[in-house]
Every structure is written in C-alpha cells, then in structure tokens.
Amino acid sequence: MNLPGAAGGARDTGAGDAADDELDAALALANGRSVGRHDPAQPPCDGGGPDGAASSLPRPHGGARGGIHGASHGSPHSGRHDLPWPRARHIAGSAAGPLGRLALPLDAALGHALAEPLAALTDLPSFDTSAMDGWAVAGPGPWRTEGSVLAGQRSTTALLDGHATVIATGAALPPGATAVLRREHGRITADGLLHATRGGPGPGQDVRPRGQECRGGDELLAAGVLVTPAVLGLAAAAGYDELAVTARPSVEILVLGDELLDAGAPGAGRVRDALGPLLPGWLTALGAGTVSARRLKDDAGLLQDAVTASTADLVVTTGGTAGGPVDFVHPVLERIGARLLVDGVAVRPGHPMLLAELPGGGRLVGLPGNPLAAVSGVLTLAVPLLRALAGRPAPVAYEARLTGDVHGHPTDTRLVPVVLDEESQAAPLHFSGPAMLRGIAAADGMAVVPPGGAVKGDRTAVLETGWGRL
C-alpha cells in the first residue's frame, strides 16, 4: 500500500529523498513496524547517539501552550530539529519491551495480550459429535430405533447395522454409528422403522469428527494476540482455566495548567480542562491497566516531585512542553537526569511533543496542551509505546481514498480527522485546528497526510483512535 506522493523535502536535512522516505515508511511505521532503511543524512534528535534514538536535554524551546488547554506563552521554538513523524513513532514503539508475565483466571484476562502461544490441550472436539438433532444411525436404512443420547451423555452400547438412536446436537456419537440423520429428514412408520425421506446419509454426514478443529498441541493463537471475548471462549473450549498474559502498563496522567477549570463554562481567561476527561478512558482502551489522573499547578517543584515519586510504567503530562515562562517539562526532565528519546516531531498538530526515559526506568510522554495536538501526541507516541509495554502486536494498517483535497504543511506530516463513508472512503472533517475537538469527536480515525498535502482520490493511511474498544 502506498501513501500519496507530495512535494516537500526533509525538515532537517534538505535531502531530496527524505520526504519520499517518509511517505514510503508512513503506513508501516504508523503501526510501530520498522522499515528497510532510514535516511542516513537525517541527524539524530539533537545530539543523540548514532541510532538517533536519544538526545541530550536542555536547549531553548518556544511555541504555544495554548488553545482550549492553555494560554499562549513564548515564541516559536528554535534550535531544535523535529523528527520525521514515522521515525518518531518507530522510536516510541521500540522504547520499551513487554512488561512481566501474569497467570490470570479467564475472567480477569480480558484486554491483556497473550504472553505465550495458546496451544490446544486436547483434540477439539475431543470425541465424535453430532452436528444436528436427529438419529445416530449405523449402516444403511431403514433402521430400528432404540434409546437416546443427549449432550453431556455418552453411550457405551455399540449400534449394530440397521439400528439407530435419537441423538441431540453436541452429543457424543455412540460406538458403531456411521452418520447422523437429521430429524427433518427422517420418518418413523407404523412398523416402528426409521426411514430417510431424502436418501440415506453418507458416511460421516452431520458428524463433527474428533480433532476437526485442532489436534492436541496445535497452536491456536500466537503470543501477543489480544484477549477478546472470543479468545476467552476458545481458551475455555480448549480446557484452559487461566492464561499466561502480559501485564498491562500503569499510567499516571499529570494535567498541567493554572488556567484550567474543572467545572462550568469557560470565561474570564479560564478554560475547561478537556484532556482530564479525555485521556483516562482512552488510554485504558489502548492497553493501559490502572490509570490515574490529577491536576498540578504551574510549578516546577510540584511537577518534579510528581514525576520522581510516580511508580507508573508511563507518566503522561499535558501542556508545558514548549518554551513559555511556565512550561516546565523540559527543565524538570533535565534536572532529574531523564533521557530524551524524542524531542519534537514534524507533525501538525502537536509538534512540541516528547518522549523521555526516566531515571527509575519508567517512560514519560509529554503531550502539547492543545486538545487536538494532544490527540496527535497520543497517536504518535503513546499508542506505539503502550502497545510495546503491553506486548500487543501492531494492528494491520489500512488506507482509504480521500473524498476531498487536504492542504498539507510544506515539510511536516499532518494528522487530519476523517469519517469513513459506506464505501470506506475517508471524508476530511472541518474543525481540525490544534485547539479544536469538534472534528475528532465525530471522526472514525486520523488520516496521515504527507508533506505538501493530498488531493481527492489519493489513498492515505488512516490511524484508528481505538475509541471503538471503549
């Protein structure tokens, strides 16, 4: 699958093929998978190592905190080279490995990922089974009927040729039975004999033979498969009482901003906290286990205390990632000795996002304060990181044809809310500014629009939000 071509070079290097590399890679890397090559001319994230996965911390930053979720502070950031969007997602997906294994009873395993392949403990079915209500018959008819076998029962008396017994769907075939005659295809005459009304059944007809679905030891599902209700049903049918799964990561959300209101209508310089309600349930749907959220004032000391005291596998901050007078995320990360893995991404909205490795081994995703920019940050950094921690495989990427033109940024990827029509075409939605949630609230996903934009009819990758799993 190919993303639409577009004009525009690399943000950092000016290399002519960097934008093409981004377009070729976007669909694969949008879901956390690596691709064949990276642009060798693309520098690592501001002073990082040769693999470009890390950077040293302090540098001047600027930009807006703003929109619904914060007032504007400072000037546009300078001195920083944002990573191409596909590369940032790839780094996020490679920033951690799966958490530890758990053995959970079936009723507690939903939503986890299998930590090992699910192997059949026995043949399924484990005995020859009737697929229909009717008669188990032996040999050709007519048949003399005797007795019955219900589901859960097992007959030890062998059927002789020319004999039949009433049988229920799911019941074990008695020894000697050669087929099942459906109830609607048989008739008992006055002499007590059973006759087939549509010709006699052939050998094995309407019988589920032992091992039809699998043999003992067969791999039913691979490691990493998400435990859904259907997986629980399969595991139970296969004889499992508990499953080996990967622990789901714990997440702590720190919502920053003195300007935020928890209730009531915005006004007088105050705005409602949109991300506090938005993030917890969404992150849970994306694979997080326990999720807690709390508000912090714009205070560097409070933020440092919260980050260093957190025991969560992932800390998520909202706002404070730019360079305004109360944007403290970068200074705090420098002070505590964190290691930046991603510091700015060439994507709109949301470019002042970041990913850091904390000294205690946890990870921190810094989201911009603007709501749609924060959504972009979740899809870019938090989704692949949560997937890696939870041991989930990348979903199958898909693309859709655009129903209208989408303006692009000269050098950056754009993520644009879209709704899918009955023909699975993607219609771009209005209200897609960084401070707006009206578009994404109605969207089925976010289209990945390459630098330079896309025109009606172009095919583009679409990122699922994961809200359908709530």
Side-chain angles (χ1 to χ4, degrees):
M1 294 184 285
N2 295 315
L3 288 168
R11 182 183 180 91
D12 299 343
T13 66
D17 63 349
D20 291 336
D21 285 352
E22 180 173 351
L23 303 187
D24 292 341
L27 190 56
L29 291 185
N31 289 284
R33 295 193 293 269
S34 60
V35 291
R37 66 187 182 100
H38 298 296
D39 178 9
Q42 175 70 44
C45 184
D46 278 9
D51 62 356
S55 76
S56 57
L57 255 159
R59 64 181 64 81
H61 297 284
R65 173 177 175 156
I68 293 176
H69 209 73
S72 176
H73 300 288
S75 59
H77 62 90
S78 58
R80 179 173 73 194
H81 298 289
D82 294 344
L83 284 176
W85 177 79
R87 188 173 173 204
R89 265 184 76 89
H90 177 60
I91 290 173
S94 304
L99 298 175
R101 293 160 51 111
L102 302 171
L104 295 180
L106 297 187
D107 60 3
L110 187 67
H112 289 75
L114 294 176
E116 61 185 27
L118 187 72
L121 300 179
T122 184
D123 296 346
L124 284 182
S126 57
F127 47 83
D128 293 341
T129 305
S130 175
M132 292 288 173
D133 291 329
W135 296 269
V137 299
W143 304 272
R144 186 168 300 280
T145 62
E146 52 187 32
S148 64
V149 183
L150 303 179
Q153 299 177 346
R154 190 176 187 93
S155 173
T156 58
T157 303
L159 279 182
L160 302 176
D161 279 356
H163 287 71
T165 187
V166 173
I167 195 166
T169 300
L173 254 66
T178 57
V180 171
L181 177 67
R182 298 187 185 192
R183 183 176 57 187
E184 60 269 28
H185 295 167
R187 179 175 60 88
I188 297 178
T189 56
D191 57 4
L193 293 178
L194 172 65
H195 297 263
T197 59
R198 296 189 179 181
Q205 185 169 325
D206 288 325
V207 172
R208 293 185 62 217
R210 176 174 179 165
Q212 182 185 53
E213 187 169 358
C214 65
R215 290 293 184 183
D218 286 354
E219 182 176 309
L220 304 177
L221 295 171
V225 169
L226 181 66
V227 178
T228 63
V231 171
L232 291 177
L234 174 62
Y240 282 86
D241 298 316
E242 62 181 28
L243 291 175
V245 297
T246 301
R248 295 175 65 171
S250 57
V251 177
E252 183 172 7
I253 303 168
L254 304 177
V255 181
L256 312 179
D258 292 344
E259 72 280 14
L260 302 177
L261 292 170
D262 292 325
R270 306 288 299 279
V271 296
R272 279 295 298 271
D273 171 22
L275 296 178
L278 186 154
L279 290 173
W282 187 20
L283 295 179
T284 300
L286 293 172
T290 58
V291 178
S292 63
R294 58 184 169 127
R295 282 270 304 282
L296 290 180
K297 293 183 177 180
D298 285 322
D299 182 286
L302 291 176
L303 177 59
Q304 180 173 332
D305 290 345
V307 172
T308 55
S310 179
T311 59
D313 300 304
L314 172 62
V315 176
V316 176
T317 61
T318 69
T321 57
V326 292
D327 289 340
F328 297 125
V329 174
H330 282 93
V332 164
L333 292 177
E334 176 190 0
R335 194 173 302 143
I336 66 176
R339 177 172 173 258
L340 277 178
L341 306 177
V342 174
D343 189 13
V345 179
V347 65
R348 302 301 170 111
H351 64 98
M353 64 182 73
L354 62 85
L355 169 62
E357 181 181 341
L358 300 176
R363 304 294 186 272
L364 182 143
V365 169
L367 302 176
N370 278 321
L372 190 60
V375 169
S376 175
V378 170
L379 293 173
T380 301
L381 299 179
V383 165
L385 179 56
L386 284 172
R387 188 184 300 135
L389 289 167
R392 296 185 180 189
V396 176
Y398 71 94
E399 59 180 22
R401 196 177 302 279
L402 292 170
T403 64
D405 297 347
V406 180
H407 296 295
H409 187 275
T411 58
D412 293 357
T413 299
R414 280 193 70 201
L415 301 183
V416 178
V418 294
V419 63
L420 300 178
D421 63 19
E422 294 179 354
E423 298 178 354
S424 296
Q425 297 183 110
L429 296 172
H430 298 296
F431 306 106
S432 58
M436 300 178 180
L437 287 174
R438 184 173 172 182
I440 191 64
D444 293 316
M446 295 277 270
V448 181
V449 178
V455 298
K456 178 180 179 180
D458 281 346
R459 298 188 68 84
T460 183
V462 177
L463 301 178
E464 289 186 342
T465 61
W467 291 332
R469 296 188 287 272
L470 290 172

